[in-house]
Amino acid sequence: MTVALAGCGADGGSGDVTLKLVAADYGTGEADKSQTYWDGIARSFEASHPGIKVDVTVLPWTDVDRKVAEMVKDGKAPDIAQIGAYADYAKAGKLYSADQMLSIPTQANFLPKLAEAGRVSRVQYGLPFVASTRLLFYNKDLFSRAGLKAPQTWDDIAADATALKQRGVKYPFALPLGQEEAQAETMMWLLSGGGGYTDDVGSYNIDSAENVQTFDWLKSNLVDKGLVGPVAPGKLDRAKAFAAFTKGDVGMLNGHPTLMEEAQKQGVNFGMVQLPGADGPTKASMGVADWIMGFKQNGHRVEMGKFFDFMFSDKNVIEFADKYDLLPVTDSASAAMEDDPKSKPLHQFLAALPDAEFYPVGKTSWAQASESIKENIGRAVEPGANPQSVLQHIAQEATAAESAE
């Protein structure tokens, strides 16, 4: 490593440095806002690292990515940003790489799949902050009344949904392909059909034969047979599907840990299984990660490294994950959570993390590709639609975005 050490006087010559940190708020109100967590981390870090201050700004998820982009554009980049994507900044040369900031033990402790997902051109710039995986949720009471077992294959899903519809269940299988998070629901289905967004070398492969077969099956076996409920999948957002599940109106749907907590609050008796695939449970489930990164602009590489080494301790990683029903991103924190009986509700999600597949966030074109999926994928299962032509259209837009980079 040959990066020159930035002088600690970069903040005015006093020898003290103030790290400016911008983070997203994962809370749903005053009681669980993320500012409390970050203030605790900052004060604990400052107490053990004299001469380094941490100035924290926490913004809603609806604003944080845009605000950080504006700060960078105005030449006022924060030192540290905890946001949804890193690739644009890495490609523009604005970020330190992981090995320029972190100690070797900290960098080596990231779960391998997450470290890999944080790379651009084989160099890690995105540091995973928290993660989640997806499982299939099913309403145990509705299943029990219909004499059904948890599904393991697509055929099971179709048969179970048929039985649930016959018993008057409003949404036998909720399929949210509305714009809110269509890229997630789509990826879950593509993985369960042996496909995905990219091929083995990382090129977009959205209209592959496997992906077309998956959407042909979805349209023919669930949507065309009226097994997905009264709202067309392209009009159904994830939040509405989750809300319907917590009311007891949904037989099955794909979900993440937050749904578990809300369903428990509403008294829904539910089970969770690995996502069913064409021939059995899917080997690779979908994972989602949020990212934290260090900007070069203020030259605080060494100080940021010390902060990250502190922040990624097991105690701090687990505290945040526990608070918001998310998953830790390091090997040691994951092992600790597996051994903790209090975390038992998350163990199934945790078990899926090592083999999870993530969005191709290392591609700066992914933002545009994701938008194309959100806008178009619902049309693939509309009456009379040709799923292949819709997937080809999305693939063309993704490839064009990639070529423009």
Side-chain angles (χ1 to χ4, degrees), residues 15-330:
D16 286 343
V17 163
T18 297
L19 297 176
K20 299 187 186 305
L21 186 154
V22 177
D25 191 359
Y26 288 72
T28 56
E30 277 298 306
D32 65 346
K33 60 183 182 179
S34 298
Q35 186 79 44
T36 305
Y37 171 83
W38 283 113
D39 285 346
I41 293 285
R43 301 298 82 82
S44 297
F45 174 77
E46 290 170 352
S48 56
H49 294 78
I52 308 176
K53 302 291 183 186
V54 183
D55 177 13
V56 178
T57 301
V58 176
L59 299 170
W61 265 115
T62 49
D63 298 333
V64 68
D65 288 297
R66 176 177 52 82
K67 290 282 191 182
V68 169
E70 289 171 358
M71 294 166 75
V72 173
K73 187 178 178 182
D74 293 343
K76 298 175 181 176
D79 294 288
I80 297 168
Q82 186 272 300
I83 50 179
Y86 63 86
D88 281 345
Y89 300 122
K91 202 144 190 182
K94 296 184 180 296
L95 301 181
Y96 286 118
S97 62
D99 62 358
Q100 288 173 320
M101 298 181 293
L102 306 181
S103 67
I104 291 172
T106 298
Q107 190 177 359
N109 198 23
F110 291 127
L111 291 165
K113 283 273 189 175
L114 286 163
E116 184 181 328
R119 292 173 188 157
V120 172
S121 300
R122 295 185 293 280
V123 178
Q124 185 181 356
Y125 295 94
L127 312 180
F129 179 65
V130 285
S132 71
T133 53
R134 302 292 195 264
L135 297 172
L136 182 133
F137 286 64
Y138 65 100
N139 184 310
K140 282 187 171 182
D141 291 339
L142 296 178
F143 266 61
S144 177
R145 288 176 205 141
L148 303 174
K149 297 178 183 176
Q152 295 192 15
T153 66
W154 286 357
D155 286 345
D156 291 344
I157 287 176
D160 293 350
T162 300
L164 292 168
K165 183 183 180 183
Q166 290 169 351
R167 297 184 67 86
V169 175
K170 192 172 181 182
Y171 293 87
F173 192 103
L175 184 67
L177 295 176
Q179 288 203 22
E180 181 188 359
E181 209 191 28
Q183 81 284 5
E185 186 71 18
T186 299
M187 184 170 170
M188 285 182 262
W189 280 101
L190 298 186
L191 289 172
S192 70
Y197 286 135
T198 57
D199 60 22
D200 291 342
V201 295
S203 299
Y204 285 120
N205 200 27
I206 295 169
D207 58 347
S208 69
E210 293 88 351
N211 293 347
V212 171
Q213 286 172 1
T214 294
F215 267 82
D216 280 341
W217 186 91
L218 265 178
K219 183 177 185 304
S220 301
N221 293 275
L222 290 186
V223 183
D224 288 352
K225 292 184 177 177
L227 301 177
V228 295
V231 181
K235 304 291 185 187
L236 182 63
D237 282 339
R238 184 195 66 187
K240 291 179 181 175
F242 280 16
F245 186 81
T246 63
K247 289 177 186 170
D249 291 338
V250 174
M252 299 169 274
L253 84 171
N254 296 322
H256 55 59
T258 306
L259 176 59
M260 179 179 64
E261 183 181 6
E262 194 57 35
Q264 286 169 338
K265 281 183 190 173
Q266 299 300 325
V268 176
N269 182 21
F270 64 91
M272 302 178 296
V273 292
Q274 190 74 12
L275 301 179
D279 303 311
T282 306
K283 291 183 175 65
S285 70
M286 191 190 89
V288 175
D290 296 325
W291 304 93
I292 193 162
M293 61 212 70
F295 282 86
K296 289 180 177 178
Q297 182 173 327
N298 300 319
H300 296 151
R301 176 180 65 85
V302 171
E303 294 82 6
M304 285 191 287
K306 291 177 180 178
F307 180 79
F308 285 134
D309 285 344
F310 180 85
M311 191 199 84
F312 282 113
S313 70
D314 286 356
K315 174 182 175 293
N316 293 331
V317 169
I318 291 171
E319 181 186 342
F320 194 90
D322 270 346
K323 188 177 179 70
Y324 298 107
D325 282 329
L326 292 164
L327 303 179
V329 295
T330 63

